Amino acid sequence: MTDQACRLVNALTPGHDGTRPVEPPPEGQRAQIVHDLLARPDYDPRVDESAADGMVTLAESLRVVFQAAASDDLDTAATTVNGLLREMGSVPQLDRARGGGWTLHFHGREPGLVVGWGAGIAAGLALAIGSDLAGRLGVCQAAPCDRVYVDTSKNAGRRFCSTRCQSRVKAAAHRARQR
């Protein structure tokens, strides 16, 4: 769920992707963008503009969590996640897995798109922040980029949202050394 949180934050909140300014999708186009972010071969969500607006609001809260965790402000990250857990009514439940067996999911207090996704994402972030994985939530360090990521590397050394940003920073450092 933390990967899904990254996709929502990076697609639905303003800032910079590399050096390119990013604006939230305009009203009237949000539903299709949210649909495309959530859809999978076995899941075709029905997204109306109201639900899309709710997902934008959720993404704004998720950005606060990533920024706080990345700056070691775990109090703010935890407070924000706790608010989301309460708001969404996250409840753990064992559900049948597609290939057999059982998987742990977190369901919201109601079946709506925003609450359903928000409950699972909030629970996933709570598990990360409540363990030694909080340091794995990051914000790209390649100025002016502010896209978020989850560090899944073995050594927990990721600093950039993409290889594009990493290459841009390394190339700039190389040019600076050559001068």
Side-chain angles (χ1 to χ4, degrees):
M1 279 297 185
T2 53
D3 288 340
Q4 192 63 45
C6 288
R7 285 192 287 276
L8 291 171
V9 170
N10 290 340
L12 302 178
T13 64
H16 284 84
D17 182 358
T19 58
R20 182 178 57 87
V22 175
E23 292 297 325
E27 291 183 28
Q29 296 177 15
R30 291 177 178 176
Q32 185 61 50
I33 290 169
V34 169
H35 174 273
D36 294 346
L37 288 169
L38 302 179
R40 321 183 283 259
D42 63 334
Y43 177 65
D44 186 28
R46 293 182 53 184
V47 183
D48 60 20
E49 283 300 314
S50 175
D53 291 344
M55 293 302 274
V56 169
T57 301
L58 173 63
E60 291 165 351
S61 294
L62 298 175
R63 175 170 282 290
V64 170
V65 174
F66 276 89
Q67 288 174 322
S71 63
D72 290 325
D73 181 3
L74 296 185
D75 289 343
T76 297
T79 300
T80 304
V81 169
N82 282 337
L84 286 170
L85 290 167
R86 279 190 302 277
E87 179 184 345
M88 303 300 163
S90 298
V91 177
Q93 178 175 312
L94 290 169
D95 292 329
R96 219 11 121 180
R98 279 178 241 154
W102 296 89
T103 60
L104 179 65
H105 289 127
F106 288 82
H107 295 271
R109 60 176 158 52
E110 59 188 48
L113 185 78
V114 177
V115 171
W117 278 94
I121 290 171
L125 291 172
L127 291 170
I129 292 168
S131 70
D132 60 349
L133 300 176
R136 300 286 187 143
L137 306 177
V139 177
C140 188
Q141 294 180 18
C145 187
D146 63 357
R147 302 296 88 182
V148 301
Y149 61 87
V150 176
D151 183 355
T152 57
S153 66
K154 287 184 180 181
N155 67 354
R158 185 171 173 182
R159 297 177 29 224
F160 306 102
C161 68
S162 64
T163 54
R164 179 184 46 142
C165 280
Q166 180 181 17
S167 296
R168 185 167 48 86
V169 168
K170 285 185 175 186
H174 175 74
R175 286 190 301 272
R177 284 192 305 271
Q178 296 302 312
R179 284 189 214 122

